[in-house]
Amino acid sequence: MDVKALREIGEQLKRNDWNFHVDPCENDPSWVTQQSDSRPLYNNYITCNCSYGVCHVVKFIFIRNYLSGNIPHEWASSTELEYLDIGVNNVSGPIPSFLGSMTKLTYLSLSCNMFSGIVPHELGNLINLETLNLSANYLTGELPVSLTNLTKL
């Protein structure tokens, strides 16, 4: 995930406090929201891995951030992402099938949002997934058989 993709994500999720002039892999404090007494559970940060000379966002945590809207399609470019948590927000719409292309994910939490519809069978492609939390949404239907591919879950 690069800064361009993060900018698109920020715009679609109505984030106006990120500093897009600074690479998120530089560990700039603008990419981490400090906890405060007024928002003790508000949590967001990005973690990068630069071990192979090219930096990639590998951890994306935005818990209790009052995010709304749909998951942006730009997240499909996050092929190096290992950890994604957007729990306790107001993200809505169907769970996008393109999340199934993020095959390095080991942790995925979409809990406590407003997702609706079915769980897409493409999530069965997330063969490295160890944790999947879809609780407290408005999902319907049966879980797809493809989730049986998630042997590390």
Side-chain angles (χ1 to χ4, degrees):
M1 184 180 293
D2 62 12
V3 173
K4 181 180 177 186
L6 287 171
R7 182 176 285 116
E8 291 292 323
I9 291 167
E11 286 175 9
Q12 289 187 26
L13 294 179
K14 299 175 180 69
R15 296 298 309 200
N16 57 10
D17 56 344
W18 294 347
N19 182 358
F20 293 107
H21 300 291
V22 179
D23 187 328
C25 294
E26 296 290 325
N27 296 319
D28 185 86
S30 68
W31 288 97
V32 177
T33 300
Q34 302 300 317
Q35 292 183 339
S36 68
D37 291 337
S38 64
R39 296 167 117 180
L41 302 175
Y42 187 80
N43 188 3
N44 71 266
Y45 63 90
I46 294 171
T47 303
C48 296
N49 180 344
C50 301
S51 61
Y52 298 106
V54 177
C55 292
H56 298 283
V57 175
V58 294
K59 188 179 272 192
F60 190 79
I61 298 177
F62 288 86
I63 303 169
R64 295 176 183 91
N65 276 246
Y66 306 100
L67 300 177
S68 60
N70 299 326
I71 291 181
H73 192 271
E74 287 76 14
W75 288 15
S77 67
S78 306
T79 56
E80 300 297 318
L81 198 62
E82 299 170 8
Y83 194 105
L84 174 59
D85 191 342
I86 58 167
V88 194
N89 283 290
N90 293 313
V91 183
S92 59
I95 295 174
S97 59
F98 61 74
L99 291 180
S101 67
M102 301 166 70
T103 57
K104 291 195 178 181
L105 279 177
T106 61
Y107 186 97
L108 175 61
S109 178
L110 306 176
S111 67
C112 301
N113 277 285
M114 299 173 68
F115 289 106
S116 59
I118 63 169
V119 175
H121 70 89
E122 289 86 354
L123 294 188
N125 297 333
L126 302 176
I127 58 171
N128 291 304
L129 208 58
E130 297 172 3
T131 302
L132 174 63
N133 188 348
L134 304 175
S135 66
N137 281 290
Y138 299 98
L139 300 172
T140 58
E142 296 181 9
L143 292 174
V145 174
S146 63
L147 294 185
T148 60
N149 297 334
L150 307 180
T151 58
K152 297 179 182 181
L153 202 58

